[in-house]
Amino acid sequence: MAVFNKIALIGVGLIGSSIARVARERAIANTIAISSRSQQTLDEARTLDLGDEYNTDAAQIVKDADLVILCTPVGVVGNITSIIADHLKPGSIISDVGSVKVSVIQQMLPHIPDGVNFVPAHPVAGTEKSGPKHGFATLFDNRWCILTPTPKAEESAIEALGDFWQACGSSIEIMDAEHHDKVLAITSHLPQLIAYNIVGTADDLEAVTNSEVIKYSAGGFRDSTRLAASDPTMWRDVCLHNKEAILEMLARFSEDLSAMQRAVRWADGDTLFDMFTRTRKIRRDIIDAGQEIDAPNFGRDD
Ligand code: NAP
């Protein structure tokens, strides 16, 4: 049975289109309404047959929706909420999929009308690709979806959104928004910045030509380029909107990197060996937790 009668997706890139696909394939919603900023992306979604209603005007698709999900970069969620607020159905739920949560709540909460439930969410699932054609229905399977409920949400609305994400394949975790932003700063945002830096440094190296970087790219560098190929708008917004937590993690990381630099300089093999042994266990734990598979190139086919 459908969890919601009508859902409205504002933004139909990788995440929005994956929600549309899974909602249709598993009959989680009876009607799927889609909005995107550009006519071009909306036409692409229509060609892919992702929904039942299409409109570039987000206010038009939310009117009778039971669940509205903002699937845009996090820097624009406040503005979009201010535009759709007066059109939201009383008793409905508004949510998002943003990779940061404190800023999203600060931006959206002031615009949420009384009687509408605001339950922010973050599906911890994704790829480096963007746009509607790259979404897929199984994206959220066996992944976590973190809910960071606000005071403007009935318990039943939090449960209903949890049911929705479970039907999409995810496991649910409820977390404080500040805590979410710290956890994601270390597990996602910092690795992304490090990848940008590795690829940027290689690109800047004068002693090594660009064609050599590409020709001899070993696994580690290739994995970094995959991350560094992610959507620049999304990641610019994540950095701007999770500034404090990212700076805190970067400071810790810089200290640890200096310690490693010292160990290399002084040929302190014991320190290096101990460190590499400790980190190896973490990968084993991630595989055991079902969040990665133990296959070459992580089982990815590109
Ligand atoms: P995406 O593929 O680039 O799609 C972005 C969508 O947002 C498009 O429909 C785009 O519309 C719309 N959009 C972009 N800028 C806009 C603006 N200024 N105003 C209104 N609409 C705008 O992005 P995505 O990867 O799905 O990411 C969407 C959200 O999911 C982000 O908040 C991100 O933090 C979160 N998230 C991403 C991942 C991931 O791995 N990608 C994972 C978890 C969560 P047009 O194309 O019509 O311009």
Side-chain angles (χ1 to χ4, degrees), residues 4-284:
F4 291 105
N5 184 37
K6 177 175 171 180
I7 63 168
L9 303 171
I10 301 175
V12 69
L14 175 80
I15 301 294
S17 74
S18 296
I19 297 175
R21 283 177 172 94
V22 65
R24 170 161 289 181
E25 260 188 47
R26 299 182 194 167
I28 305 169
N30 294 324
T31 304
I32 300 165
I34 294 175
S35 176
S36 200
R37 173 180 58 165
S38 71
Q39 189 63 49
Q40 193 189 340
T41 302
L42 202 62
D43 289 346
E44 215 181 316
R46 196 194 303 263
T47 306
L48 292 163
D49 194 23
L50 295 178
D52 305 293
E53 290 174 28
Y54 303 90
N55 205 314
T56 48
D57 182 357
Q60 295 305 317
I61 67 157
V62 304
K63 279 183 177 145
D64 45 358
D66 305 289
L67 170 65
V68 174
I69 310 181
L70 272 56
C71 308
T72 65
V74 292
V76 293
V77 295
N79 188 35
I80 293 174
T81 312
S82 74
I83 293 166
I84 62 172
D86 290 344
H87 304 273
L88 293 167
K89 181 169 127 176
S92 65
I93 301 171
I94 181 165
S95 186
D96 76 308
V97 292
S99 310
V100 308
K101 296 273 66 97
V102 172
S103 165
V104 161
I105 293 173
Q106 280 168 352
Q107 291 180 69
M108 291 175 67
L109 193 60
H111 304 291
I112 308 289
D114 287 344
V116 169
N117 297 283
F118 177 30
V119 190
H122 177 203
V124 187
T127 75
E128 71 282 14
K129 309 258 172 68
S130 23
K133 72 169 186 281
H134 293 295
F136 51 99
T138 54
L139 177 64
F140 310 111
D141 281 349
N142 303 317
R143 299 284 164 217
W144 288 100
C145 183
I146 302 172
L147 308 187
T148 60
T150 68
K152 272 196 173 168
E154 305 271 345
E155 204 52 48
S156 58
I158 301 166
E159 268 172 37
L161 189 67
D163 291 346
F164 175 83
W165 277 108
Q166 272 179 327
C168 291
S170 298
S171 303
I172 307 303
E173 187 78 51
I174 300 206
M175 215 181 263
D176 179 54
E178 280 85 10
H179 189 65
H180 166 279
D181 286 1
K182 277 207 171 133
V183 172
L184 270 292
I186 184 70
T187 58
S188 168
H189 309 167
L190 185 66
Q192 189 75 30
L193 289 183
I194 293 167
Y196 282 130
N197 227 50
I198 292 170
V199 178
T201 303
D203 191 42
D204 287 344
L205 272 185
E206 281 169 11
V208 180
T209 66
N210 212 283
S211 64
E212 281 174 310
V213 168
I214 291 164
K215 186 171 168 187
Y216 300 115
S217 70
F221 184 72
R222 273 207 308 270
D223 273 351
S224 301
T225 60
R226 189 181 62 74
L227 282 179
S230 300
D231 183 58
T233 307
M234 169 185 158
W235 282 102
R236 177 204 62 197
D237 280 12
V238 168
C239 291
L240 297 179
H241 290 267
N242 197 19
K243 185 175 154 184
E244 299 308 328
I246 290 176
L247 286 177
E248 189 182 325
M249 296 308 163
L250 273 174
R252 291 283 294 266
F253 177 77
S254 302
E255 268 178 38
D256 293 345
L257 193 62
S258 299
M260 197 178 269
Q261 195 175 359
R262 206 166 40 244
V264 172
R265 184 185 306 287
W266 295 107
D268 182 354
D270 289 348
T271 298
L272 294 171
F273 189 84
D274 287 351
M275 169 76 165
F276 302 162
T277 305
R278 186 157 59 94
T279 53
R280 189 177 216 187
K281 183 183 175 299
I282 301 225
R283 172 152 179 85
R284 196 69 262 156

